[in-house]
Amino acid sequence: MAEVFRPRTRARLADGEVWGVPVKMHWIDAAGQDAPPAGLLADAWRVVADTLPDAMAIEGGAEGAAFCILHRGEQGIWLLMDWWAHADILCQRLARADVGATLFESVDERPLLACVWELEVIEAERLAWIEHMMRPSPNLAAWRAA
């Protein structure tokens, strides 16, 4: 049975860069905090740095733009690592940690995509990609600012 939907705190955190690729970082929190604890965010960036370069190289066709969603839910902490490839395809790697822990483990073998709160961020990123990058003169700076 589905749970009752309640909005969750959502914030855009400072951008980073991995393998020369700009990475936007988004935060969602079931507990209502505006930002993750510093240690959790640092661990998430380490996982991103360890995961994205190989994943992007294996898939190929990377467009030089990525975004991540760090989501502390009620059952776990999720890290969605997404990047654009082949002009219009969104690729993803997914990791999870237990609440209160910071050791992320890959869950790519499970058929998971995103929850309803993460889909809000993915939709906003989709719209930003269309508006700023899928045009005659792509504008990466405008995409980063969106």
Side-chain angles (χ1 to χ4, degrees):
M1 177 174 221
E3 65 181 277
V4 175
F5 178 83
R6 289 179 179 78
R8 292 189 176 178
T9 300
R10 192 173 109 185
R12 169 86 179 272
L13 305 177
D15 293 349
E17 190 172 292
V18 174
W19 200 39
V21 173
V23 181
K24 296 181 186 180
M25 181 65 78
H26 298 271
W27 166 247
I28 301 171
D29 190 26
Q33 288 190 334
D34 291 333
L40 175 60
L41 182 58
D43 287 341
W45 276 115
R46 275 192 285 280
V47 173
V48 170
D50 289 345
T51 303
L52 275 187
D54 287 343
M56 293 170 84
I58 290 167
E59 177 55 35
E63 295 295 330
F67 66 91
C68 295
I69 304 169
L70 180 58
H71 181 184
R72 183 169 53 190
E74 294 175 0
Q75 305 295 321
I77 302 168
W78 298 90
L79 179 59
L80 290 73
M81 297 165 277
D82 297 81
W83 71 98
W84 293 101
H86 314 292
D88 58 4
I89 303 296
L90 186 61
C91 302
Q92 183 182 81
R93 290 289 181 255
L94 180 63
R96 183 190 181 283
D98 290 330
V99 173
T102 58
L103 179 62
F104 285 93
E105 295 182 9
S106 173
V107 290
D108 287 330
E109 72 282 353
R110 294 178 63 191
L112 304 172
L113 174 67
C115 72
V116 296
W117 296 279
E118 295 154 356
L119 286 171
E120 288 181 307
V121 175
I122 292 169
E123 175 61 8
E125 287 293 342
R126 176 189 164 272
L127 292 173
W129 187 255
I130 291 168
E131 180 179 351
H132 301 295
M133 299 301 291
M134 295 183 77
R135 55 190 304 177
S137 299
N139 187 336
L140 188 59
W143 172 81
R144 287 181 79 169

